[in-house]
Amino acid sequence: MDEEGLASLRRWFLGYCRSFYTSREEDNRNIRLKEEHTEQVCAFMELLTLELGLDPGERRLAEAVALLHDVGRFEQYRCYGTFRDSDSENHGTLGVRVLTRQGVLDGLAPEERRMILGTVALHNAFRIPDAIDGPARRLLHLVRDADKLDIWRVFLEFYGLPPERQASAVGLGFPDLPVCTPRVVATVMRGELVNLATLRTLNDFKLLQLSWVFDLNFAVSRRLVVERRYVEQMATTLPLGEDVARVVAFVREYLARSG
């Protein structure tokens, strides 16, 4: 992919986003959030690929994936009014359908199309299938890290806003109760990713977000989490208690050991 090919994808994406804005500000907050998230994921992707020393062609392919990874979110919100896949459909699969239906990648080489579509399809998988290896796996690792690095920012901003200014679809409808489910706490304390299906409260959702540190693939990603104090900021949004204190300490120790 050359620079003009990447620029063409950027122009398409901008126009596609604009087509979803409406006269309702609640809708626009949710669409704007995803457009801004994509911009920030692209910025994180640039940081990661430069730090890792990827060549220009690899960097352009990685930026294309960052640009398109969440393209399914826009139609998901318009059709279902939610960003929760279990209440609508898998937004990675939906993104592949959008890109294919609109012929967005038709001008690219077949291998580039395959890599981009495969990465969009699996960027949100709970785990990457073992059969995915080589450059395809590295591309998935990159976009999954860049995605998480910005999602932490998105949620920290969301938790700090008054309800009337929040993008309504961000919290996925979890009740904001002052408790954490013991099963979720135990999963984090084992150093494992929390499955969305086990959550009961918004605080559980915050613990799930803390567990993402165990799925970061590059030392630079873990360093950026520490530099931005994401764990400490997330801790201030959780209820005080021994369980939360243990989780926060465990996650911080993990980052210190693995950095």
Side-chain angles (χ1 to χ4, degrees), residues 164-180:
E164 66 274 11
R165 292 182 55 201
Q166 291 176 341
S168 58
V170 173
L172 302 189
F174 289 112
D176 191 5
L177 303 175
V179 293
C180 297

Side-chain angles (χ1 to χ4, degrees), residues 14-31:
L14 180 61
Y16 186 70
C17 291
R18 298 302 177 193
S19 72
F20 286 86
Y21 285 99
T22 73
S23 59
R24 296 184 68 243
E25 182 52 30
E26 181 180 353
D27 292 336
N28 293 343
R29 274 197 298 269
N30 286 291
I31 298 303

Side-chain angles (χ1 to χ4, degrees), residues 204-233:
D204 290 344
F205 193 27
K206 295 172 185 178
L207 295 182
L208 176 148
Q209 291 155 23
L210 286 177
S211 81
W212 287 340
V213 301
F214 308 132
D215 193 42
L216 292 174
N217 300 284
F218 303 101
V220 59
S221 304
R222 294 187 287 272
R223 189 189 78 220
L224 289 168
V225 170
V226 173
E227 288 176 356
R228 284 158 173 72
R229 297 182 59 80
Y230 284 152
V231 174
E232 291 78 7
Q233 291 182 68

Side-chain angles (χ1 to χ4, degrees), residues 7-247:
S8 177
L9 291 179
R10 292 193 193 108
R11 290 192 294 270
W12 175 85
F13 181 77
L14 180 61
Y16 186 70
C17 291
R18 298 302 177 193
S19 72
F20 286 86
Y21 285 99
T22 73
S23 59
R24 296 184 68 243
E25 182 52 30
E26 181 180 353
D27 292 336
N28 293 343
R29 274 197 298 269
N30 286 291
I31 298 303
R32 189 180 306 117
L33 178 138
K34 286 302 177 184
E35 185 174 2
E36 292 172 354
H37 166 63
T38 297
E39 180 182 336
Q40 293 303 314
V41 172
C42 288
F44 274 119
M45 183 65 88
E46 183 176 11
L47 281 175
L48 296 182
T49 56
L50 286 172
E51 177 88 10
L52 294 169
L54 272 62
D55 67 43
E58 291 174 311
R59 292 203 302 270
R60 286 193 290 270
L61 183 62
E63 184 174 343
V65 168
L67 181 72
L68 301 173
H69 79 285
D70 257 358
V71 72
R73 287 297 198 188
F74 300 93
E75 191 162 323
Q76 180 186 44
Y77 182 77
R78 182 165 65 185
C79 292
Y80 303 101
T82 183
F83 292 138
R84 189 168 182 171
D85 287 10
S86 61
D87 290 341
S88 53
E89 59 182 301
N90 185 302
H91 73 276
T93 304
L94 182 53
V96 169
R97 194 159 71 240
V98 168
L99 295 171
T100 303
R101 185 175 63 222
Q102 298 212 11
V104 179
L105 307 178
D106 286 356
L108 301 182
E111 180 63 11
E112 290 176 333
R113 287 201 302 272
R114 185 187 68 80
M115 293 275 281
I116 292 171
L117 291 174
T119 306
V120 169
L122 291 173
H123 82 276
N124 59 325
F126 187 64
R127 296 194 190 283
I128 300 174
D130 292 339
I132 307 294
D133 58 10
R137 193 173 190 89
R138 180 169 67 170
L139 195 59
L140 269 166
H141 283 168
L142 283 165
V143 76
R144 285 162 71 92
D145 277 22
D147 196 19
K148 290 180 179 68
L149 286 166
D150 189 61
I151 294 175
W152 274 307
R153 175 198 63 83
V154 168
F155 278 106
L156 286 166
E157 289 184 0
F158 171 80
Y159 298 139
L161 288 173
E164 66 274 11
R165 292 182 55 201
Q166 291 176 341
S168 58
V170 173
L172 302 189
F174 289 112
D176 191 5
L177 303 175
V179 293
C180 297
T181 302
R183 178 182 177 185
V184 175
V185 172
T187 301
V188 182
M189 293 302 294
R190 290 194 301 271
E192 298 174 2
L193 280 174
V194 175
N195 194 311
L196 190 70
T198 66
L199 308 187
R200 297 293 177 268
T201 71
L202 187 61
N203 284 318
D204 290 344
F205 193 27
K206 295 172 185 178
L207 295 182
L208 176 148
Q209 291 155 23
L210 286 177
S211 81
W212 287 340
V213 301
F214 308 132
D215 193 42
L216 292 174
N217 300 284
F218 303 101
V220 59
S221 304
R222 294 187 287 272
R223 189 189 78 220
L224 289 168
V225 170
V226 173
E227 288 176 356
R228 284 158 173 72
R229 297 182 59 80
Y230 284 152
V231 174
E232 291 78 7
Q233 291 182 68
M234 190 68 72
T236 66
T237 74
L238 285 159
L240 296 175
E242 183 179 340
D243 283 349
V244 168
R246 286 192 302 118
V247 164

